[in-house]
């Protein structure tokens, strides 16, 4: 009987420290058998009659608790395998973001005073359960070894049951927290994988852009196209085409000393109309702007071998047009192809006039010289915007056709070179 009492006093001693908050742990200290009588005197045991033997009741309680512990151990074992599998996947998914390996940020320690690592949590819970199982087996063995023992006090038995119930609830709480931890890890892994894929896609797009670009120029727009000979095979081609337009502004820098006439700086042809938009100076004629094969003469004078900035605006409303040279408006007019929308899907050529879409060039109409900063907008720019572009106060790429290296191809011996700065071109005026 004495060994049984000593074992029970261990649980009573743990309960005597007062009520603890859920999730706290208990520290059990073994006492020698001779210390039970001296330090923890037992209250007198009242005789009971008419009820089952208390040892049988206690034994049934122990057996039931043992079965519960075995079930919890099996549950923890299955959770342990799942956590190990998830941990292995996380280790293989680890990536870098330039600041070292990605690690889960420290957050609230949902496991109380247990380790954060799920595998360590499983190990520690398993050890705790094994210890509890050993204690229960020892208690059962002591009950079987005793042939004569008195009934335990009712309050002592109830306290033992409460403590065992608390311990079981604590264990179930830890298992639930472990489930939450596993779910959190899974969600964080999915979110991080999606973020990583997005970053990789953006990086691949940027690499593709750089591969298509030309590393010979400091900036994608700092180049010029050189067309040194009057032939029918030197030209540049804009890769992008035009949408349907009801107004536009075309601006470019050019330099030419060709005579007679500088030729055709650019032309836009569509099926059924080779002269949809053309800027041309042919022979001794003035510079002309053609819209849908309708003609307006422009008061521009640019064949002096110096850099000049020219802009041309047009709107389908009443066929209004404007001509600017070096930021100054030199001419305006109307009734140039009024109410005619510019057709989409054509071919835009630099340096040649097209008699068919993309071809049949005439050497006598070819441009001779250099050009740069060829931009097209789908609206009429304000006079102050054109002035700011011409005097290098602002850099405004075209929203329809911007001047960028990977949008311009050259053929037949035409070349692309680094262009003088805007300020250097101004000094050449």
């Amino acid at each position: 009987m004495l060994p049984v009492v000593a074992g029970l006093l261990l649980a009573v001693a743990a309960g005597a420290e007062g009520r603890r908050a859920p999730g706290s742990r208990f520290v059990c200290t073994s006492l020698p058998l001779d210390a039970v009588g001296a330090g923890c005197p037992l209250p007198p045991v009242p005789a009971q009659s008419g009820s089952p033997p208390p040892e049988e009741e206690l034994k049934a309680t122990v057996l039931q608790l043992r079965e519960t512990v075995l079930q919890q151990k099996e549950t923890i074992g299955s959770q342990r395998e799942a956590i190990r599998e998830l941990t292995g996947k996380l280790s293989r998914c680890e990536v870098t973001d330039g600041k070292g390996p990605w690690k889960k940020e420290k957050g609230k320690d949902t496991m109380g005073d247990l380790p954060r690592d799920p595998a360590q949590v499983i190990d520690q819970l398993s050890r705790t359960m094994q210890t509890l199982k050993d204690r229960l087996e020892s208690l059962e063995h002591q009950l079987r070894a005793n042939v004569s023992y008195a009934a335990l006090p009712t309050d002592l038995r109830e306290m033992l049951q409460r403590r065992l119930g608390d311990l079981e609830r604590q264990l179930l709480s830890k298992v639930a927290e472990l489930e939450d931890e596993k779910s959190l890890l899974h969600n964080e892994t999915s979110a991080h994988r999606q973020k990583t894929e997005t970053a990789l896609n953006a990086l691949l797009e940027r690499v593709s852009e750089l591969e298509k670009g030309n590393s010979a120029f400091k900036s994608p727009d700092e180049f010029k196209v050189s067309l040194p000979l009057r032939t029918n095979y030197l030209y540049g081609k804009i890769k992008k085409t035009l949408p349907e337009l009801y107004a536009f502004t075309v601006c470019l820098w050019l330099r030419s000393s060709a005579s007679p006439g500088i030729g055709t700086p650019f032309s836009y042809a569509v099926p059924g109309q080779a002269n949809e938009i053309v800027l041309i100076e042919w022979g001794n004629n003035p510079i002309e702007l053609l819209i849908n094969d309708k003609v307006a003469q422009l008061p521009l004078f640019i064949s002096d071998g110096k850099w000049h900035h020219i802009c041309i605006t047009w709107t389908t409303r009443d066929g209004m047009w404007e001509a600017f040279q070096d930021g100054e408006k030199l001419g305006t007019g109307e009734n140039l192809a009024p109410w005619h929308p510019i057709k989409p899907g054509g071919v835009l050529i630099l340096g040649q006039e097209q008699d068919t879409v993309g071809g049949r060039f005439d050497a006598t109409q070819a441009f001779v010289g250099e050009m740069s900063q060829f931009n097209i907008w789908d609206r009429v720019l304000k006079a102050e915007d054109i002035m700011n572009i011409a005097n290098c106060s602002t850099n405004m790429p075209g929203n329809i056709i911007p001047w960028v290296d990977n949008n311009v191809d050259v053929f037949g011996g035409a070349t692309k070179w680094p262009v003088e700065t805007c300020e250097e071109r101004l000094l050449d005026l």
Side-chain angles (χ1 to χ4, degrees):
M1 180 61 185
L2 197 52
V4 177
V5 175
L8 293 177
L9 284 178
L10 295 179
V12 175
E17 296 180 3
R19 301 266 179 193
R20 296 177 180 263
S24 61
R25 296 190 301 177
F26 300 95
V27 178
C28 298
T29 305
S30 60
L31 298 176
L33 295 178
D34 55 359
V36 174
C40 301
L42 292 175
V45 180
Q48 297 182 5
S49 62
S51 61
E55 62 272 25
E56 293 297 332
E57 183 179 349
L58 182 59
K59 181 178 179 180
T61 302
V62 169
L63 290 176
Q64 182 180 0
L65 182 57
R66 182 182 181 185
E67 292 177 0
T68 302
V69 170
L70 290 176
Q71 292 175 359
Q72 295 298 330
K73 184 175 182 180
E74 292 177 359
T75 302
I76 293 298
S78 61
Q79 295 298 329
R80 181 179 184 180
E81 293 300 326
I83 292 299
R84 284 180 175 173
E85 181 182 355
L86 181 57
T87 303
K89 291 181 179 179
L90 285 175
S91 64
R92 293 195 297 271
C93 290
E94 187 171 89
V95 297
T96 60
D97 59 1
K99 299 182 180 180
W102 171 81
K103 298 182 182 297
K104 188 169 81 71
E105 295 182 357
K106 293 182 178 179
K108 181 180 179 182
D109 188 359
T110 59
M111 297 303 294
D113 54 0
L114 294 177
R116 286 284 291 180
D117 183 54
Q120 296 181 8
V121 173
I122 293 295
D123 291 339
Q124 184 163 340
L125 287 176
S126 298
R127 289 195 300 269
T128 302
M129 292 182 63
Q130 186 61 42
T131 301
L132 179 60
K133 179 182 177 182
D134 293 341
R135 290 178 56 194
L136 291 173
E137 290 179 349
S138 176
L139 182 60
E140 183 182 9
H141 178 72
Q142 292 176 6
L143 286 173
R144 290 176 179 175
N146 282 276
V147 294
S148 60
Y149 41 80
L152 293 175
T154 303
D155 56 349
L156 184 60
R157 186 168 61 253
E158 291 177 352
M159 183 176 294
L160 175 60
Q161 292 176 350
R162 283 198 304 271
R163 283 298 156 203
L164 291 176
D166 290 343
L167 183 59
E168 183 178 2
R169 284 191 295 272
Q170 180 183 358
L171 186 60
L172 292 175
S173 175
K174 294 300 181 183
V175 172
E177 290 175 357
L178 185 60
E179 287 283 356
D180 294 339
E181 185 80 4
K182 184 177 70 172
S183 177
L184 179 62
L185 288 174
H186 176 73
N187 294 337
E188 289 182 350
T189 301
S190 300
H192 184 70
R193 180 168 58 251
Q194 182 178 1
K195 181 180 179 181
T196 301
E197 290 176 354
T198 302
L200 287 176
N201 290 335
L203 182 61
L204 288 174
E205 291 178 1
R206 179 57 178 161
V207 169
S208 299
E209 291 177 0
L210 293 176
E211 288 176 347
K212 294 178 181 178
N214 192 331
S215 60
F217 309 119
K218 295 180 180 179
S219 178
D221 65 340
E222 293 184 0
F223 73 99
K224 61 184 177 182
V225 172
S226 177
L227 304 163
L229 301 175
R230 195 182 293 276
T231 72
N232 64 351
Y233 54 83
L234 271 74
Y235 67 98
K237 181 179 180 181
I238 304 296
K239 294 181 181 179
K240 294 182 64 176
T241 188
L242 297 180
E244 186 175 50
L245 296 175
Y246 298 91
F248 67 78
T249 299
V250 178
C251 292
L252 72 155
W253 284 88
L254 56 78
R255 177 167 63 181
S256 177
S257 58
S259 180
I262 65 170
T264 307
F266 72 91
S267 63
Y268 176 68
V270 297
Q273 181 53 270
N275 296 325
E276 188 70 1
I277 308 176
V278 181
L279 182 65
I280 184 172
E281 185 182 53
W282 188 19
N284 294 316
N285 298 313
I287 294 181
E288 296 176 339
L289 174 65
L290 283 71
I291 304 290
N292 192 32
D293 211 25
K294 306 301 187 294
V295 181
Q297 294 185 343
L298 309 182
L300 303 178
F301 308 95
I302 53 179
S303 58
D304 56 1
K306 297 181 179 182
W307 279 108
H308 291 283
H309 184 265
I310 63 172
C311 283
I312 299 163
T313 71
W314 174 86
T315 176
T316 187
R317 183 174 182 177
D318 295 329
M320 295 286 297
W321 62 267
E322 297 172 310
F324 295 79
Q325 179 174 326
D326 301 325
E328 182 181 354
K329 184 191 294 187
L330 297 184
T332 185
E334 59 183 9
N335 205 33
L336 176 60
W339 314 111
H340 169 76
I342 301 299
K343 297 176 182 177
V347 175
L348 192 55
I349 296 294
L350 303 178
Q352 297 284 352
E353 192 272 336
Q354 307 171 65
D355 285 339
T356 61
V357 178
R360 286 188 60 184
F361 305 142
D362 185 347
T364 62
Q365 298 173 334
F367 172 78
V368 180
E370 298 173 322
M371 68 177 67
S372 182
Q373 300 299 319
F374 179 83
N375 291 280
I376 300 180
W377 295 262
D378 61 355
R379 64 187 186 276
V380 175
L381 293 186
K382 297 178 180 178
E384 54 265 34
D385 291 333
I386 294 175
M387 175 61 75
N388 290 334
I389 296 173
N391 63 22
C392 306
S393 297
T394 186
N395 180 22
M396 190 188 328
N399 67 330
I400 297 299
I401 301 294
W403 182 253
V404 289
D405 180 28
N406 59 11
N407 192 40
V408 180
D409 288 334
V410 290
F411 301 91
T415 55
K416 290 192 284 188
W417 298 93
V419 69
E420 296 86 343
T421 65
C422 187
E423 290 75 15
E424 290 172 339
R425 294 195 295 271
L426 278 180
L427 294 176
D428 192 39
L429 294 177

